Amino acid sequence: MGKVVFITGATSGFGRAAARKFASEGWALVITGRREERLKELAEELCESVPVHYQTLDVRSKEDVDSLVKSLPESFKKITCLVNNAGLALSPNPAQTVDIQDWHTMIDTNVTGLVNVTHALLPTLIEVGKGASIINVGSIAGQWPYPGSHVYGATKAFVKQFSYNLRCDLLGTGVRVTDLAPGIAETEFTLVRTKGDQAASDALYANTQALTAEDIADTMFYLATLPAHMCVNRLEVMPTAQAWNPFAIYRES
């Protein structure tokens, strides 16, 4: 059947754009996400051009992840590329004001979920060997701190270090691992982070040119189709309109 990509969080943003990009290039798809209706719509859109297997999945559940991987139809079992995209940010407020449950949700999704899926698919990727890829969606927040990032930034720092360490363990298998770390991108990210505050989302992206989901999907495909002897360990992608600020200094009045 050719190459197969397994994408988590395919119901919106980077994941949905990635599904469309890989499908446009003839890759078969395994797409997962928590919102069944969106997943079904995407599968129906793309199945006319490429084979598509879809299933709702909460990556936080190891049992559900393992069950899905084991039950994949035979023609979808040979995963060439894993895109660990499922993740979220919550509570962009000072740490001392945040509900602890939001912290747990980010850790369970961004860390535990990514680990669950990676662990379940490692044997398959190693069997494919040369040219197989794991693309972990990190963030510039995993490298650069900012107010309100607290646990979100910490989870993305985990993604970065996990990717590096996985590269060490997979040396000699032919499997590549990349931490893809986007900057500001106009998706549903801020709506989720603010629990539906459209005004906050609009304000963040106003009067600037952020990255698009398609920009990141194109980058994912580039990483997955590099010559097999090449691996990009970490790729930080920011819009030209975004850069760093000086250190903040508190001054007593």
Side-chain angles (χ1 to χ4, degrees), residues 10 17 20 22 49 77 83 85 92 94 100 124 158 192 200 224-225 236 241:
R20 289 171 172 156
F22 279 85
S49 56
K77 284 184 178 293
V83 176
N85 170 71
I100 187 66
T124 298
F158 173 88
V192 172
T225 55
E236 188 174 288

Side-chain angles (χ1 to χ4, degrees), residues 206-236:
N207 304 317
T208 192
Q209 186 172 7
L211 298 172
T212 67
E214 289 72 25
D215 292 332
I216 298 305
D218 288 346
T219 306
M220 290 173 179
F221 186 76
Y222 163 77
L223 293 168
T225 55
L226 283 169
H229 70 284
M230 293 178 63
C231 177
V232 176
N233 297 324
R234 184 172 190 270
L235 183 56
E236 188 174 288

Side-chain angles (χ1 to χ4, degrees), residues 67-79:
S67 176
L68 169 58
V69 171
K70 290 176 182 177
S71 65
L72 284 174
E74 194 63 35
S75 57
F76 288 93
K77 284 184 178 293
K78 195 174 181 181
I79 306 297

Side-chain angles (χ1 to χ4, degrees), residues 5-6 8 79-84 117-118 121 125 133-135:
V5 59
F6 187 112
T8 66
I79 306 297
T80 310
C81 177
L82 164 61
V83 176
N84 273 316
V117 178
T118 303
L121 284 174
L125 291 159
S133 302
I134 299 171
I135 300 171

Side-chain angles (χ1 to χ4, degrees), residues 33-210:
R34 290 192 294 169
R35 290 175 282 190
E36 184 173 10
E37 189 58 36
R38 284 196 180 189
L39 205 58
K40 182 180 178 182
E41 288 175 2
L42 183 62
E44 290 174 348
E45 171 193 333
L46 300 177
C47 70
E48 294 183 5
S49 56
V50 295
V52 180
H53 179 78
Y54 76 94
Q55 186 170 322
T56 55
L57 178 67
D58 186 342
V59 296
R60 296 174 296 181
S61 168
K62 182 180 184 300
E63 292 74 17
D64 290 353
V65 170
D66 289 345
S67 176
L68 169 58
V69 171
K70 290 176 182 177
S71 65
L72 284 174
E74 194 63 35
S75 57
F76 288 93
K77 284 184 178 293
K78 195 174 181 181
I79 306 297
T80 310
C81 177
L82 164 61
V83 176
N84 273 316
N85 170 71
L88 78 168
L90 295 170
S91 300
N93 306 306
Q96 60 270 30
T97 68
V98 172
D99 186 335
I100 187 66
Q101 186 55 52
D102 286 341
W103 280 7
H104 285 304
T105 298
M106 287 187 280
I107 293 167
D108 292 345
T109 307
N110 301 355
V111 175
T112 304
L114 181 144
V115 166
N116 286 342
V117 178
T118 303
H119 187 267
L121 284 174
L122 272 178
T124 298
L125 291 159
I126 291 170
E127 183 179 349
V128 170
K130 192 174 181 180
S133 302
I134 299 171
I135 300 171
N136 294 325
V137 178
S139 169
I140 61 170
Q143 177 76 15
W144 309 106
Y146 61 89
S149 182
H150 40 77
V151 165
Y152 174 69
T155 63
K156 293 305 183 178
F158 173 88
V159 173
K160 178 181 69 172
Q161 198 62 35
F162 178 64
S163 300
Y164 287 169
N165 288 317
L166 201 55
R167 278 275 288 126
C168 295
D169 290 342
L170 293 174
L171 185 65
T173 67
V175 181
R176 307 176 287 197
V177 186
T178 300
D179 169 29
L180 175 57
I184 184 173
E186 190 166 0
T187 64
E188 294 180 7
F189 177 87
T190 301
L191 274 179
V192 172
R193 191 172 204 180
T194 60
K195 299 184 178 178
D197 188 340
Q198 185 65 56
S201 180
D202 292 344
L204 179 64
Y205 304 119
N207 304 317
T208 192
Q209 186 172 7

